[in-house]
């Protein structure tokens, strides 16, 4: 492989438009609920990330990732007033395909794991 091949994509996958399905309702068992991001949720998110095994989070790392979240793509699992889980859908442009993305930063507090969240 020469150096020109390094930047060439090796696989390009395109989902056929005819197979697109409408989004499904996000459901979790009681007493949990799914909540979309609201301004102010940053504090609860940083608290969750501090409990995770991920690299340390700070306001700068949060701001960088918030800039990549797709519209309506940041979710929280709540139980009453407590935020117990989270996940983000991120636009992750690679330079080769403008519609590249991933689901990331999925975390749930250990006490709430195994409950179909």
């Amino acid at each position: 492989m020469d150096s020109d091949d390094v930047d060439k994509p090796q696989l390009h996958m395109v989902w056929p438009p005819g197979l697109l399905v409408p989004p499904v309702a996000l459901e979790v068992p009681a007493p949990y609920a799914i909540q979309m991001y609201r301004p102010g949720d940053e504090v609860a998110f940083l608290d969750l990330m501090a409990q995770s095994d991920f690299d340390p989070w700070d306001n700068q790392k949060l701001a960088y990732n918030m800039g990549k979240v797709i519209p309506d793509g940041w979710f929280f699992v709540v139980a009453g007033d407590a935020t117990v889980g989270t996940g983000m859908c991120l636009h992750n442009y690679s330079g080769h395909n403008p519609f590249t993305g991933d689901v990331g930063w999925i975390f749930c507090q250990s006490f709430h794991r195994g409950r179909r969240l």
Side-chain angles (χ1 to χ4, degrees):
M1 174 188 299
D2 66 36
S3 62
D4 291 342
D5 291 335
V6 173
D7 291 329
K8 293 180 183 175
Q10 296 181 13
L11 176 64
H12 183 106
M13 297 171 47
V14 178
W15 193 265
L19 293 180
L20 292 178
V21 295
V24 296
L26 298 175
E27 297 178 10
V28 292
Y32 301 101
I34 297 289
Q35 169 185 303
M36 303 301 289
Y37 164 78
R38 298 176 301 190
D41 285 337
E42 298 87 351
V43 173
F45 179 80
L46 288 173
D47 182 52
L48 286 172
M49 292 297 100
Q51 299 171 49
S52 76
D53 292 335
F54 297 127
D55 292 337
W57 279 72
D58 57 20
N59 287 326
Q60 183 177 358
K61 185 171 183 174
L62 177 58
Y64 171 78
N65 282 279
M66 286 179 69
K68 295 177 18 174
V69 175
I70 66 169
D72 296 326
W74 192 0
F75 305 88
F76 292 89
V77 178
V78 296
D81 292 336
T83 302
V84 302
T86 187
M88 291 179 173
C89 301
L90 303 163
H91 183 242
N92 203 9
Y93 179 54
S94 65
H96 299 290
N97 186 340
F99 303 109
T100 303
D102 58 53
V103 177
W105 308 118
I106 305 295
F107 179 75
C108 183
Q109 292 175 328
S110 59
F111 177 79
H112 300 277
R113 293 178 189 160
R115 299 176 189 216
R116 299 178 353 156
L117 300 178

